[in-house]
Amino acid sequence: MKNHLSIKEPVFNIDYSNGEIKGRDVINPVKKLKDLSGIFEDMQVFSKLDGEEIIYEVQAILPVKEGLEGGLFYGKTTILPGRVGTEYYMTKGHFHQKADRAEFYWGIQGKGMLLLMDKDRNCWAEKMYPGSLHYIDGYIAHRTVNTGDTKLSFGACWPSDTGHNYQEIIDNGFSSRIKEVDGKPQLIPTK
Ligand code: S6P
Ligand code: ZN
């Protein structure tokens, strides 16, 4: 067989200042406030806000078909700064569909918290900042929260057969929430 020697440019590039991915076939789902109904605790405040406001954006590279075993997916999430009442802007959060699949997160810009919850609904949080690195074990629900006044961006890498279980969080939520109390972020039990 003929060996085609060649040196190629990488398929993707990352801007280290904000995590932005450049390359082919990068998908870019956007979550607006209206997509996050039932996620924030204060429904009254939520209902008065502009549903068209963007809360977070994801850029993701899915090089193989979703569900295929053995591949990896890569994503960058940016959460805007803001709050619904005292609760900071955050992602929907999920367990993994194949619940034993783990994931890495790492902080890129801004500051926030990674909210984690095990199957027994015990919650804890890890601080996120540029350079923070987080191993999210299987069976652990995860949600990210922007506790700063600038954008929070973080990277993620997870197996391509992971899938996402959002329903469990829509039905039962997290047992704790990150709210601003006395001017600083605190982990508060859900009402
Ligand atoms: C995927 C990974 C992230 C999130 C993203 C948005 O396993 O955890 O890319 O999808 O941060 O959060 P969510 O909860 O809306 O999927
Ligand atoms: Zn995940």
Side-chain angles (χ1 to χ4, degrees), residues 10-31:
V11 178
F12 305 104
N13 283 276
I14 298 167
D15 180 339
Y16 264 49
S17 68
N18 58 14
E20 192 182 334
I21 309 165
K22 295 206 175 82
R24 258 189 302 121
D25 303 328
V26 178
I27 62 165
N28 184 206
V30 172
K31 289 280 182 283

Side-chain angles (χ1 to χ4, degrees), residues 94 96 103 105 142 158 162 164:
H94 56 267
H96 287 158
E103 180 164 17
Y105 275 11
H142 39 289
W158 67 101
T162 299
H164 296 95

Side-chain angles (χ1 to χ4, degrees), residues 4-150:
H4 294 281
L5 293 176
S6 66
I7 296 175
K8 295 181 179 170
E9 290 298 323
V11 178
F12 305 104
N13 283 276
I14 298 167
D15 180 339
Y16 264 49
S17 68
N18 58 14
E20 192 182 334
I21 309 165
K22 295 206 175 82
R24 258 189 302 121
D25 303 328
V26 178
I27 62 165
N28 184 206
V30 172
K31 289 280 182 283
K32 296 182 173 179
L33 200 64
K34 67 182 182 190
D35 304 316
L36 303 175
S37 163
I39 296 294
F40 293 96
E41 194 166 62
D42 195 331
M43 309 255 238
Q44 259 199 333
V45 172
F46 180 87
S47 65
K48 290 188 187 122
L49 298 173
D50 176 10
E52 292 301 322
E53 191 174 330
I54 292 174
I55 307 301
Y56 63 98
E57 284 185 50
V58 178
Q59 278 191 306
I61 304 168
L62 315 179
V64 297
K65 207 164 171 260
E66 181 134 37
L68 188 93
E69 198 176 326
L72 289 172
F73 290 162
Y74 180 96
K76 188 274 295 178
T77 304
T78 297
I79 311 177
L80 280 90
R83 290 189 318 247
V84 175
T86 57
E87 193 169 17
Y88 298 99
Y89 284 0
M90 59 187 180
T91 60
K92 288 172 82 169
H94 56 267
F95 281 97
H96 287 158
Q97 191 71 44
K98 266 196 184 152
D100 65 349
R101 296 302 193 255
E103 180 164 17
F104 267 115
Y105 275 11
W106 57 96
I108 298 171
Q109 69 171 347
K111 67 177 180 182
M113 299 260 189
L114 170 58
L115 180 63
L116 300 155
M117 181 175 74
D118 68 18
K119 285 188 292 183
D120 298 324
R121 301 186 55 72
N122 299 304
C123 264
W124 67 102
E126 289 181 13
K127 290 181 183 175
M128 297 183 91
Y129 49 83
S132 67
L133 181 62
H134 313 268
Y135 178 69
I136 304 168
D137 213 345
Y139 300 98
I140 304 293
H142 39 289
R143 159 180 283 167
T144 41
V145 183
N146 185 349
T147 59
D149 45 23
T150 59

